[in-house]
Each structure stands twice: as C-alpha cells, then as structure tokens.
C-alpha cells in the first residue's frame, strides 16, 4: 500500500472542510473507549474518567493502538453536570458516568447558574480533569493527531439539570420555563469550549440531543435553531454537532446552523443523509454500535464501513460512544477499510 501523504490531523481537517484527502478519514468523534482497550493500555474506569493521566492515556490509544485520526478524552456526558449541581456517580468501573439528580426538577427551584460561576465551573474537579487530559494529549501528539474536545449544548444540559421527562413535557406545558433553561445554560458550552481550546483542543464536538426519537423537527426549529446560529460562531474553531437517533427530518435545519459537521447515527441511511445535507454541512458517522461493532464480525463491519465511504460520508466513525464490550478488532477494521480506499490525486 502506498505511503500516506497526510498526517492524521491534516486528513481530519481536510475532511472537515470538504477538501481532498489521501484516503477516507477514520475518527473517534465521541468515544471509542472499551474494556479491551483499557486492558491493553492499563487505563481503566473509573480512573480514566476522574484522573487526567489515565484519561489521556485511554484517549491516546484511539490513535496509538487503533489508528484513528482523532482522539477524544471526554468519554461521557457528565463533566458539566457536576459543575452545575447534579450528583454524578463516577465510581462505577463498568459504566460511563451519568447524572443522577436534577436540581431544577423541583417546580419551585429557581433556574440559575450556581453561585461562583464561572470560576466555580472551571474549578470543578471533573471539568479540570478533562482540561488537564487535553493538555497531556497536546504534549503527546503535538500537531500530528486531531484532538477533539466536547461540550453539552443547552438542550442536553437541560436534560441533566431539569430532568429529561419534565423538560420535554414543559416544551408544551410550560415553554417559557424551557426557554429560560435554554437561555441560562447557553453560555456554558461556550465557556467550556473556549477552555478546551486553550488547553489544546483543535475542534469541539457539540452534543445537543434534540433527536427525532424524542421531539418533532419543528421543536428543534422553534427552540434551538436560532440559538445554534447565535452560539456556534462564538466558538473560535470548527464545531461538530452530535445529535443521536433519527434526524433526517431536521437535517434541513442543521444545514443552517453554522456547524461545520454533523455526526449522525445509523438510524439514518448514509446515502439519504449525504443527499439531504446538500454539501452545506459535512458529515461524520454512522457505523452502527449495538449490532455491528459490538456483536458482529470484522467482515460485517467492513461492509458497513464501505457503504458509508461509497455514500460520501466525509469522516467514518462509530455512530456514538461505543458500548464498552466492543472488540478492538472491529474498531481497527474501520481504520483498515479507510486505508484500503486510498485516493490518488
């Protein structure tokens, strides 16, 4: 096989902007951490979620062990939640940490950021852990590999501090309270994103789970579209939207947001998503996690990866954070197929 002519970072940046690449980019957009990888590098949960050293070591293995063009150290969704007053259990070695309490779920609770914000946010133990891990990754990789940061957008943060069910019910029952939640939380991803960039991140993944599995596309249009248009330009780097589930009925809105790329799930056919993106937003994804990557063979992974490449998906990646039981061999297969699709210019 011919030698690669681009560094992993160069390849990722080219794919992110729709420029020619030497071969398809393969990436860790959310998380490719798994139990087998933890054993290989000796960095396990819970330390890899709470200590910058193991967190960076596990993140680095996405490239150093499996060959992905990017690394992502924030494996879960709970860093901001702790700094906003949620109780999160980081002690479980077998699961990603998730918020356990929602301080705004009480109807009498005042919607406001915690006392001492923003300093208290940036000094939170788990926020600092993520920032320090990014610094370690920058020291390790320099400009060779794309280092991704990750933030939760105001919709997802509202799930955490408001309670998912209450928040979704209030989109109809009390939309003013929903708007106040979104207004209050909108500055948080900007603050955290800029801190990650200062620490050494090259781009930011912005998770806002306004999925078709939970809300209508008009709900996204009315509550979030204009916010994203205002917020995304405030992050001085490429920003990648991650939204789980069915989303073909809202890609027309995602195209207008200013996000550079959309990371999408296998619930959406890649050929249809590429067509509906109309070249106005680049695409990453959408290799299935629970059936293909976790349970099937490398041969079956190969078929799905080639389909995404042939469809024109810009960056080939698992659809979301992979299940921790996912075999390393299946994740390596994503990289192998991308390397086999070398492009001559």
């Amino acid at each position: 096989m011919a030698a690669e002519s681009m560094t992993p970072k160069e390849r990722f940046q080219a794919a992110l902007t729709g420029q020619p690449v030497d071969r398809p980019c393969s990436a860790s957009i959310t998380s490719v951490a798994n139990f087998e990888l933890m054993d290989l590098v000796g960095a396990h949960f819970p330390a890899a979620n709470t200590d910058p050293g193991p967190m960076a070591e596990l993140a680095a293995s996405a490239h150093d062990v499996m060959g992905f063009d990017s690394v992502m150290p924030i494996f879960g969704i709970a860093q901001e939640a702790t700094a906003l007053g949620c109780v999160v259990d980081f002690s479980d070695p077998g699961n990603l940490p998730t918020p356990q309490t929602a301080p705004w779920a009480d109807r009498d609770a005042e919607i406001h950021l915690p006392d001492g914000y923003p300093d208290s946010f940036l000094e939170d133990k788990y926020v600092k852990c993520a920032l320090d891990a990014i610094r370690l990754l920058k020291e390790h990789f320099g400009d060779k590999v794309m280092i991704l940061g990750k933030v939760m957008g105001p919709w997802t943060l509202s799930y955490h501090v408001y309670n998912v069910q209450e928040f979704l019910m209030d989109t109809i029952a009390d939309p003013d309270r929903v708007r106040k939640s979104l207004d209050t939380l909108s500055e948080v991803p900007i603050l955290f994103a800029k801190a990650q960039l200062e620490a050494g991140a090259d781009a930011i993944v912005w998770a806002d789970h306004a999925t078709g599995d939970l809300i209508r596309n008009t709900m996204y249009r009315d509550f979030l579209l204009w916010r994203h248009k205002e917020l995304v330009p405030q992050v001085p780097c490429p920003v990648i939207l991650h939204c789980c589930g069915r989303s073909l009925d809202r890609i027309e809105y995602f195209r207008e947001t200013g996000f550079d790329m959309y990371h999408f799930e296998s619930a959406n056919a890649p050929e249809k998503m590429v067509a509906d993106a109309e070249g106005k937003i680049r695409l990453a994804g959408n290799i299935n996690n629970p059936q293909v990557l976790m349970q099937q063979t490398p041969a079956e992974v190969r078929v799905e990866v080639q389909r995404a490449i042939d469809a024109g998906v810009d960056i080939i990646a698992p659809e979301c954070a992979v299940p921790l039981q996912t075999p390393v061999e299946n994740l390596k297969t994503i990289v192998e197929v991308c390397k086999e699709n070398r492009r001559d210019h």
Side-chain angles (χ1 to χ4, degrees), residues 85-333:
C86 299
V87 174
V88 178
D89 181 8
F90 281 88
S91 67
D92 189 343
N95 286 291
L96 289 164
T98 56
Q100 307 294 311
T101 63
W104 298 353
D106 183 345
R107 303 301 302 181
D108 296 325
E110 183 181 353
I111 291 179
H112 66 88
L113 295 172
D115 293 341
Y117 178 93
D119 293 341
S120 62
F121 181 92
L122 294 174
E123 289 300 313
D124 178 84
K125 173 183 176 181
Y126 302 108
V127 168
K128 289 179 68 176
C129 175
L131 297 176
D132 287 343
I134 290 172
R135 292 187 184 96
L136 291 172
L137 289 167
K138 188 66 174 178
E139 291 174 9
H140 178 65
F141 288 118
D143 284 328
K144 177 188 175 185
V145 174
M146 195 76 176
I147 299 171
L148 300 180
K150 183 170 68 177
V151 301
M152 301 296 114
W155 194 270
T156 294
L157 289 177
S158 292
Y159 287 167
H160 296 168
V161 297
Y162 196 127
N163 176 282
V164 176
Q165 184 174 352
E166 292 291 329
F167 179 74
L168 292 176
M169 289 177 62
D170 274 354
T171 59
I172 296 171
D174 194 351
D176 286 343
R177 194 167 194 263
V178 165
R179 292 187 187 96
K180 185 172 183 181
S181 176
L182 296 171
D183 288 343
T184 302
L185 294 167
S186 284
E187 65 183 88
V188 175
I190 305 299
L191 176 72
F192 197 21
K194 289 181 176 178
Q196 291 177 52
L197 294 175
E198 185 177 345
D202 299 306
I204 296 294
V205 178
W206 180 296
D208 246 349
H209 298 94
T211 166
D213 297 343
L214 294 176
I215 64 167
R216 300 186 305 275
N217 62 342
T218 52
M219 200 76 75
Y220 175 83
R221 179 197 65 195
D222 296 343
F223 282 101
L224 263 187
L225 175 57
W226 68 268
R227 293 176 193 278
H228 282 163
K229 285 183 175 181
E230 288 190 355
L231 295 172
V232 173
Q234 297 179 46
V235 181
C237 73
V239 185
I240 301 166
L241 172 66
H242 171 75
C243 177
C244 297
R246 295 178 293 108
S247 56
L248 280 167
D249 67 347
R250 57 209 66 196
I251 186 65
E252 64 178 300
Y253 301 128
F254 294 167
R255 296 189 314 235
E256 303 175 20
T257 54
F259 287 111
D260 296 270
M261 176 169 275
Y262 171 42
H263 179 227
F264 69 107
E265 281 201 2
S266 61
N268 312 278
E271 299 85 359
K272 180 64 173 169
M273 187 63 79
V274 169
D276 287 3
E278 297 181 355
K280 297 176 182 177
I281 187 170
R282 312 318 304 182
L283 296 170
N286 66 327
I287 310 306
N288 177 276
N289 283 343
Q291 285 80 40
V292 178
L293 286 174
M294 187 174 76
Q295 300 187 56
Q296 296 186 352
T297 68
E300 291 161 315
V301 174
R302 179 174 292 274
V303 170
E304 183 139 335
V305 172
Q306 192 63 53
R307 178 187 177 186
I309 292 172
D310 292 343
V313 176
D314 299 281
I315 293 180
I316 311 303
E319 61 185 343
C320 194
V322 301
L324 296 177
Q325 299 83 1
T326 302
V328 164
E329 184 179 12
N330 279 354
L331 293 167
K332 284 184 174 181
T333 299

